[in-house]
Amino acid sequence: MTETIKKTLRDSAGMRWTALLLLALAMFCSYIFMDILSPIKDLMQTTRGWDSTAFGTMQGSEVFLNVFIFFLIFAGIILDKMGVRFTALLSGAVMLVGAIIKWYAVSDSFIGTGLERWFTDNLNYIPLFDELGVSPFYEGMPASAKVAACGFMIFGCGCEMAGITVSRGIVKWFKGREMALAMGSEMALARLGVATCMIFSPMFANLGGKVSVSRSVAFGVVLLMIALIMFIVYFFMDKKLDSQTGEAEEKDDPFKFSDLGKILTNSGFWIVALLCVLYYSAIFPFQKYAVNVLQCNIHFNGLEEGSFWNSNTVTIIQYALMIVIAATAFTSNFMKKKSLKYGLLAAAIITLVVYCWMGFMRQSAAAIFAVFPLLAMGITPILGNYVDHKGKAASMLVLGSLLLIACHLTFAYVLPMFKDSAVGGVIIAYITILVLGSSFSLVPASLWPSVPKLVPAKIIGSAYALIFWIQNIGLWLFPLLYGKVLDGTNPEGTPPTELNHSVPLTMFACLGVAALLLGLVLKVVDKKKHLGLEEPNIKPE
C-alpha cells in the first residue's frame, strides 16, 4: 500500500513518455516555423526581392536578441526561478507573437503600406551595431525582410527559451532513467519538423497555381498555436507531478546569481558549450540553404502542369510515407520479438526506397532534403540506449564531427561532379543527407544528457541557457556569413538556381574539423578530471 502511495506520474513509463511527447510536439511545430522559408528561398528572391544577403541576414536575426541583448541568459534565470511550467507557457506565447509579425511582413497586405515606407527609409543605420558589424539590418535591405527579421527575433526568443525549458523538463522527468534516449527521441521527433517544412512549405506557397509565400508562413503560425496548446496540457501534467512529490517547483534550493560562477569556472562545461556552437553552426544554418544547394547542383527536369507528380496529392502521399518510415524505424528498436523487430525494420527500408523514388520523380529539391531526419529516427533509440547503459558520450561527439566533415565536403565538391547525371546526383544527395541527419542525432543523445553531470541540479536551466546563448552566436553569424560569402563568390546577377555553394560549404566543413579537435580535447579532460561523460546515465544497482 505504501509503495502505491509513493508512486508518481514520473514512475509510470507511459506518463513520463506522454510528457515527453507533449514537449516534443511543441518543438516539432517550432522547428517547422524556424525553416519555413528555407525551401522557398528562390521564391523570396523572385517575389519579394530578397537576395542571398537579405535572406541570410533575416535568417540570422532569429537569434539576435538572444545573443546581443542577452535575452537567453535571462530566459535561463527565469527558468531556474519560475520553473518549467511558467517558462513553457511564456515561450509558446512569445513564439506565436513573433510568428504573426513575420507572416504579416511577407503578406500582400504589407505591400504599399505606410509601415513598408517607414522601414524602407529607416533602420538603415544602427549606431554601435553597425560599427561592430553585427546589425540585423543594412541599407538597401527590403522593408519586408526588415519586418520579417523583427518578427523572427521575437520568435527566436521564444524558441530558444522553449529549447532550454524542454531540456530542463526532460531532466526533471527522466533523471536516473532513460534520459539520453528521451532527449534523443525528443530531438528526432522535433526534427521531423524540418522534413515537414520541406514537404509542405513549397506546396502551400504554390497552392492553386498562384505563388504566395505568405501561405507557407501562415501554415507555420497555425502550428505554433498548436504548440501553445501542447505546453498548456504539459502545464497541468507537470503541476500534478509536483503535487504528488510534494515539491514546490524550484523553491527547495533557491537560485542565486552567485551560482553562475560554478558554471563559468567549469572547464568541462566550456568545452561542451564550444562543441555545441561549432556543431550546430554547421547544421542549422545549412538547413536554411540546403534546398538551394540541391537546386544548384542537381539537374531537375521541369514537370508538366497538372501532372500527378506536380500535384498536392503526391505531396500528401509522400508525407504519409515519411510518417510510416519514422514510426516503423523508431518502434523497431523496442520490439523484443526478432520477427517483429526485423519486419518493422524491413518495412521502414522498403518505404524509404519508395519515398526516395517519389522524391526523384517529383524533381523537387525540397522533397529530397526532407529525408534529413529519417535515418536518425531509426538510430536515435540505439544511440540513446547505448549512452544510457554504456556511456561513451564524448566518443560519440567525435564520431558526429567526422561524419559532419565528410558530408559538407561531399556537398561542396562531390555533388557538383554529378550535376549532369540526374540519377547519380540524386543518389549522392540522398545518401549524404541521410548520413548528415544521423550524425545530428549523436548530439542530443550524447551532449545534452552530459550537462547534468557538470553542474548542480538547481542551475541546470542557467547552464543550458548559457550553452544555448553560445550556440546562438553561431546561429546568428553563420546564416549571415553564408549569405555574404555566397553573394561574394558568385557573379552579380547569377540566377538563384545556378549559384556555386562550394566555398561556404567548405566553411562548414572547417567548423566540423574544429569540433573534431575539441571533441578529442574533451575526451582527455574527461579522463583527467573524471567528469563522467564516458560513463552511463543509468548506473547498475
Side-chain angles (χ1 to χ4, degrees):
M1 184 67 178
T2 305
E3 292 181 0
T4 304
I5 294 173
K6 288 184 177 178
K7 189 172 182 180
T8 66
L9 292 177
R10 186 164 47 203
D11 297 316
S12 166
M15 295 310 294
R16 65 175 177 267
W17 283 93
T18 298
L20 176 73
L21 182 62
L22 291 169
L23 295 173
L25 285 174
M27 294 309 296
F28 167 83
C29 294
S30 71
Y31 269 51
I32 292 175
F33 191 85
M34 187 186 301
D35 284 314
I36 200 71
L37 294 181
S38 299
I40 53 175
K41 175 183 180 292
D42 57 327
L43 297 181
M44 298 309 300
Q45 181 165 345
T46 56
T47 65
R48 292 295 183 268
W50 295 13
D51 60 13
S52 295
T53 300
F55 184 83
T57 303
M58 191 284 302
Q59 294 283 40
S61 69
E62 177 195 355
V63 297
F64 180 83
L65 296 178
N66 289 325
V67 173
F68 297 104
I69 311 299
F70 303 102
F71 178 82
L72 195 46
I73 303 299
F74 295 121
I77 295 172
I78 292 170
L79 176 57
D80 281 330
K81 291 185 74 69
M82 302 301 294
V84 174
R85 294 191 297 273
F86 173 85
T87 315
L89 292 182
L90 179 62
S91 63
V94 172
M95 282 194 292
L96 184 57
V97 170
I100 292 172
I101 294 172
K102 184 174 179 179
W103 165 76
Y104 174 67
V106 300
S107 69
D108 292 339
S109 301
F110 178 75
I111 299 174
T113 62
L115 194 63
E116 181 186 33
R117 290 190 293 273
W118 189 91
F119 272 89
T120 299
D121 297 335
N122 294 278
L123 298 181
N124 294 314
Y125 170 74
I126 310 296
L128 184 61
F129 288 107
D130 266 278
E131 279 73 17
L132 294 174
V134 298
S135 176
F137 313 109
Y138 61 87
E139 188 169 2
M141 185 176 182
S144 59
K146 290 180 182 177
V147 178
C150 292
F152 212 25
M153 288 179 202
I154 297 171
F155 165 83
C157 290
C159 186
E160 295 303 314
M161 186 192 298
I164 62 173
T165 303
V166 167
S167 296
R168 177 66 181 269
I170 294 174
V171 171
K172 180 176 183 177
W173 283 77
F174 284 88
K175 190 169 185 179
R177 295 178 175 85
E178 321 93 330
M179 188 159 62
L181 175 59
M183 287 195 171
S185 299
E186 180 270 322
M187 288 307 296
L189 178 58
R191 284 180 187 134
L192 267 180
V194 178
T196 303
C197 169
M198 298 300 162
I199 289 285
F200 285 107
S201 182
M203 186 192 86
F204 281 108
N206 293 285
L207 200 62
K210 181 181 178 182
V211 174
S212 174
V213 293
S214 66
R215 280 197 297 261
S216 296
V217 183
F219 166 64
V221 170
V222 172
L223 290 176
L224 287 176
M225 293 178 183
I226 296 174
L228 183 56
I229 294 172
M230 295 296 102
F231 279 139
I232 291 172
V233 176
Y234 173 82
F235 178 95
F236 290 104
M237 278 194 69
D238 196 80
K239 188 174 183 180
K240 177 68 173 176
L241 174 64
D242 280 353
S243 70
Q244 290 177 333
T245 59
E247 299 173 358
E249 195 176 31
E250 320 304 333
K251 303 297 184 190
D252 291 342
D253 195 4
F255 169 86
K256 303 183 186 67
F257 281 96
S258 58
D259 290 329
L260 293 176
K262 297 175 183 177
I263 302 174
L264 300 176
T265 56
N266 187 319
S267 60
F269 167 84
W270 280 109
I271 296 175
V272 168
L274 291 173
L275 258 171
C276 176
V277 69
L278 289 170
Y279 199 88
Y280 276 63
S281 293
I283 294 286
F284 282 120
F286 171 71
Q287 287 176 191
K288 300 181 186 304
Y289 291 91
V291 172
N292 192 237
V293 170
L294 298 181
Q295 289 172 335
C296 296
N297 289 291
I298 298 176
H299 177 73
F300 291 109
N301 298 314
L303 296 174
E304 291 183 11
E305 194 70 32
S307 70
F308 170 73
W309 296 110
N310 198 27
S311 67
N312 293 332
T313 302
V314 73
T315 300
I316 295 171
I317 292 173
Q318 200 173 18
Y319 188 67
L321 291 176
M322 181 187 300
I323 298 301
V324 172
I325 296 166
T328 51
F330 188 81
T331 55
S332 68
N333 292 278
F334 302 95
M335 297 297 106
K336 294 182 180 179
K337 288 186 178 181
K338 286 190 175 180
S339 58
L340 191 55
K341 177 184 180 71
Y342 291 116
L344 287 171
L345 193 58
I349 293 172
I350 293 170
T351 310
L352 177 61
V353 172
V354 174
Y355 174 92
C356 291
W357 172 74
M358 292 184 72
F360 170 73
M361 293 300 294
R362 288 186 63 193
Q363 295 291 288
S364 167
I368 291 173
F369 185 70
V371 302
F372 178 65
L374 296 185
L375 184 58
M377 294 297 297
I379 68 171
T380 291
I382 299 173
L383 298 173
N385 272 320
Y386 190 86
V387 173
D388 282 331
H389 293 93
K390 302 293 184 181
K392 305 297 181 183
S395 299
M396 284 197 175
L397 291 172
V398 171
L399 176 60
S401 299
L402 286 169
L403 294 175
L404 183 71
I405 296 166
C407 289
H408 280 310
L409 290 178
T410 299
F411 281 124
Y413 300 106
V414 178
L415 185 60
M417 296 169 59
F418 291 83
K419 188 168 185 178
D420 295 328
S421 173
V423 176
V426 169
I427 292 174
I428 293 292
Y430 271 133
I431 293 173
T432 309
I433 292 165
L434 286 167
V435 172
L436 183 65
S438 65
S439 75
F440 201 10
S441 66
L442 290 166
V443 177
S446 53
L447 188 149
W448 299 122
S450 300
V451 177
K453 297 179 181 180
L454 301 174
V455 299
K458 67 174 180 176
I459 52 173
I460 288 175
S462 294
Y464 279 127
L466 279 169
I467 291 179
F468 273 57
W469 178 72
I470 296 168
Q471 169 190 317
N472 272 225
I473 296 174
L475 300 187
W476 159 77
L477 175 62
F478 285 97
L480 171 65
L481 192 58
Y482 194 107
K484 288 182 177 293
V485 172
L486 190 60
D487 277 340
T489 54
N490 285 274
E492 188 175 350
T494 302
T497 56
E498 296 180 15
L499 297 168
N500 186 333
H501 287 259
S502 296
V503 175
L505 285 171
T506 303
M507 173 181 71
F508 282 162
C510 291
L511 292 177
V513 173
L516 172 62
L517 297 175
L518 206 55
L520 296 173
V521 171
L522 180 62
K523 284 175 65 69
V524 173
V525 172
D526 176 63
K527 187 174 182 180
K528 182 179 179 181
K529 296 195 173 185
H530 306 290
L531 299 175
L533 300 183
E534 294 283 84
E535 296 177 3
N537 294 322
I538 301 175
K539 305 292 184 182
E541 296 182 0

